[in-house]
Amino acid sequence: MELENIKRVYLIGIGGIGMSGLARYFKKRGCVVCGYDKTITPLTSAMRNEGISVVYQDEEDNLKVSFLENDPETLIIYTPAIPKDSKILNHFRSGGFSLKKRSEVLGIISKGMYTIAVAGTHGKTTTSSIIAHVLKDSGYDCSAFLGGIATNYNSNVLFGDNNTMVVEADEFDRSFLTLYPDVAIVTSMDADHLDIYGDRSHLVESFRQFVSQIKEGGRLIFKKGLDLSGGKTYSANVLADIQAVNVKVQDGSFYFDFKNENVVIENVQLGLPGLHNIENAVAAIEVALHLGIDPEKIKKALASFLGVKRRFEYILKDQKHIYIDDYAHHPEELRACIQAVKTLYPGKKLTTIFQPHLFTRTRDFAAGFSEILSMTDELIMLDIYPARELPIEGVSSAMILDKVSIEAKQILSKEQTLDYVRAQKPELLLTVGAGDIDTLIIPLKEILTNA
């Protein structure tokens, strides 16, 4: 497939964070871009305002005339999360259209570019966003496909004037194996997506294959302790090739000194909390130094990084209430998030609202979720968000809640949750999950603002 020949693009599942990035990319190239998704979200609404046509009914009748008949200038992109019986998907399949997975298209776009790919079961969105921001803010420049909305740019796709591309390398469905990066960062390899991989050993095997695809003369940077070799290790709390030292919290921000075998950068300020984010920043600094960016420019860029939507995002912060929202949906992500909140606000009672994501993940990690959610002071759980899955008998939010050791715990509906917060007015509130829990953010903010 030659990108230059593509004039029309249809995306099935356009509302996904990765798919929407591709939609914006092809719109920027001057293509006619349309798509389908099952629900209206702020992201799909934003794309419609940008001139991208989005429909919400899975019917062939909703397709524009230009997508009814196949021609070589039309590209169809789909996400594996789309059901196999989708009417729109099967219209294109039966019509002989050129169909590509999102990951395949990303691989094609990155071919011929200097590609910096960030992989990991968690941490990749923040790390890739920090790298992209440092490259942009320092004047080095880059294009970027991110797995979240970078607050500095209010977008998940950035456009640059050079040949450098930062991309989030997604392990789901082995998507990252379409990439052949010049620089690869691996942030974590915890067991996840076991519905795809079966067990952790197969997941690790895929990560090893991914790093084996680094171009000759390229660079591997990975978190200390991961079962990889042939690159440089990084850490925020143990001895590594690249590390943060002298970590401290001051006036609500984290500060640290960066150190590798050649360079020391002192008193680096990072607005994002938690050791895990310091580790993400350490990896980003190493990439920037590898590209020859001046240490002072790197330090300045990090101080101005505003984070990523739904990654430890402050929704409300005033004298009466602090409300933080995070995308955490794996036990280790949840652990890092709750520990960061507790570190910043040790004297406040923490109320956590958690929505489990996927029946398989709940089944596989129920004990881990229970252990970590016991760290909060008060817990509200929503029902499982199924995403692409059908229910599994015996698997529910109660699997987690029953093993949580704190007494203040309950399962509520979304409406009941709003009523509870309205009545209790918690001083420190955390919402976590990767499903549709984000639909509660605005009403919760309004409740606490007016409390």
Side-chain angles (χ1 to χ4, degrees):
M1 185 187 79
E2 297 296 330
L3 293 175
E4 292 72 22
N5 299 334
I6 301 301
K7 300 292 186 293
R8 288 169 295 281
V9 181
Y10 197 97
L11 298 99
I12 312 171
I14 194 171
I17 196 72
M19 293 285 279
S20 61
L22 287 176
R24 286 166 160 166
Y25 169 83
F26 281 106
K27 178 68 176 175
K28 178 81 170 178
R29 289 183 66 93
C31 299
V32 173
V33 180
C34 304
Y36 156 77
D37 210 283
K38 63 180 180 179
T39 52
I40 299 172
T41 66
L43 190 50
T44 59
S45 298
M47 284 189 286
R48 293 188 74 166
N49 291 336
E50 294 163 17
I52 296 170
S53 175
V54 182
V55 298
Y56 302 101
Q57 291 80 38
D58 186 16
E59 300 289 345
E60 286 185 57
D61 293 346
N62 288 324
L63 294 172
K64 289 184 178 291
V65 173
S66 55
F67 289 98
L68 291 178
E69 293 190 14
N70 185 15
D71 74 69
E73 295 182 338
T74 299
L75 170 65
I76 313 301
I77 308 172
Y78 71 100
T79 169
I82 290 293
K84 290 182 172 58
D85 61 355
S86 161
K87 293 177 183 177
I88 291 177
L89 177 65
N90 285 306
H91 160 79
F92 290 123
R93 278 191 169 144
S94 61
F97 285 77
S98 172
L99 271 78
K100 300 283 185 186
K101 287 185 183 180
R102 180 188 67 86
S103 57
E104 293 178 278
V105 178
L106 210 50
I108 292 166
I109 294 170
S110 66
K111 199 174 292 181
M113 297 192 76
Y114 187 90
T115 302
I116 301 163
V118 184
T121 45
H122 47 85
K124 56 184 175 287
T125 297
T126 301
T127 305
S128 55
S129 298
I130 296 173
I131 293 169
H133 176 66
V134 171
L135 269 56
K136 282 285 188 186
D137 191 77
S138 67
Y140 186 94
D141 205 13
C142 69
S143 298
F145 287 89
L146 307 172
I149 305 298
T151 304
N152 292 79
Y153 310 95
N154 197 34
S155 182
N156 55 337
V157 59
L158 308 180
F159 300 97
D161 293 325
N162 64 3
N163 197 42
T164 300
M165 183 170 116
V166 180
V167 62
E168 185 169 321
D170 190 1
E171 76 282 356
F172 173 72
D173 200 33
R174 298 177 173 84
S175 294
F176 57 179
L177 298 183
T178 62
L179 298 170
Y180 293 81
D182 296 271
V183 178
I185 301 94
V186 181
T187 63
S188 51
M189 298 193 314
D190 293 308
D192 199 8
H193 302 302
L194 298 186
D195 54 324
I196 301 292
Y197 288 101
D199 57 40
R200 185 176 181 275
S201 67
H202 288 95
L203 179 137
V204 171
E205 183 182 312
S206 279
F207 272 93
R208 286 176 177 164
Q209 186 175 341
F210 166 69
V211 301
S212 76
Q213 295 178 180
I214 297 171
K215 292 174 188 169
E216 188 175 350
R219 187 91 185 272
L220 170 62
I221 303 163
F222 62 94
K223 183 178 172 180
K224 181 69 177 282
L226 298 185
D227 195 8
L228 296 172
S229 60
K232 295 287 186 180
T233 62
Y234 69 92
S235 177
N237 56 2
V238 296
L239 187 65
D241 299 320
I242 311 148
Q243 61 186 101
V245 295
N246 301 324
V247 177
K248 59 179 184 270
V249 180
Q250 188 176 318
D251 299 326
S253 290
F254 278 68
Y255 291 81
F256 64 95
D257 297 342
F258 171 90
K259 182 182 179 183
N260 68 13
E261 58 187 352
N262 299 312
V263 178
V264 173
I265 308 175
E266 295 182 339
N267 210 35
V268 178
Q269 180 186 2
L270 184 68
L272 303 182
L275 278 177
H276 62 300
N277 280 321
I278 291 176
E279 284 182 334
N280 296 337
V282 166
I285 293 170
E286 182 67 15
V287 171
L289 290 172
H290 176 67
L291 296 176
I293 298 173
D294 180 78
E296 284 303 312
K297 288 185 177 181
I298 297 170
K299 185 175 176 179
K300 174 180 169 290
L302 283 170
S304 67
F305 180 65
L306 299 177
V308 182
K309 298 287 186 185
R310 301 220 62 223
R311 268 67 173 186
F312 212 94
E313 181 183 6
Y314 279 95
I315 306 299
L316 181 64
K317 190 178 184 182
D318 60 26
Q319 290 184 337
K320 292 193 295 181
H321 301 286
I322 297 166
Y323 171 23
I324 298 164
D325 177 60
D326 196 276
Y327 190 71
H329 57 284
H330 182 279
E332 291 309 309
E333 293 171 338
L334 203 58
R335 185 193 305 277
C337 180
I338 292 176
Q339 283 178 341
V341 176
K342 291 281 194 177
T343 300
L344 285 172
Y345 305 105
K348 293 185 181 294
K349 176 185 174 183
L350 173 60
T351 299
T352 299
I353 304 170
F354 176 58
Q355 182 188 47
H357 184 258
L358 300 180
F359 291 98
T360 51
R361 186 178 282 124
T362 302
R363 177 197 64 198
D364 295 338
F365 302 115
F369 281 124
S370 299
E371 174 203 340
I372 291 151
L373 289 168
S374 297
M375 295 163 54
T376 193
D377 300 301
E378 189 171 29
L379 175 64
I380 295 168
M381 288 193 62
L382 304 178
D383 287 331
I384 297 169
Y385 183 79
R388 58 188 179 271
E389 294 184 337
L390 295 173
I392 299 174
E393 187 176 350
V395 177
S396 69
S397 292
M399 279 186 74
I400 297 171
L401 193 81
D402 290 348
K403 296 176 183 175
V404 171
S405 61
I406 61 173
E407 291 186 10
K409 59 179 182 177
Q410 55 186 321
I411 296 174
L412 298 178
S413 69
K414 289 180 182 176
E415 282 303 317
Q416 290 171 325
T417 298
L418 294 176
D419 290 340
Y420 183 86
V421 171
R422 196 175 285 114
Q424 297 299 319
K425 305 176 180 63
E427 62 172 346
L428 180 59
L429 180 65
L430 172 67
T431 49
V432 272
D436 62 359
I437 191 171
D438 59 335
T439 59
L440 292 180
I441 293 174
I442 292 174
L444 285 171
K445 180 181 180 181
E446 290 176 352
I447 290 169
L448 292 177
T449 300
N450 298 316

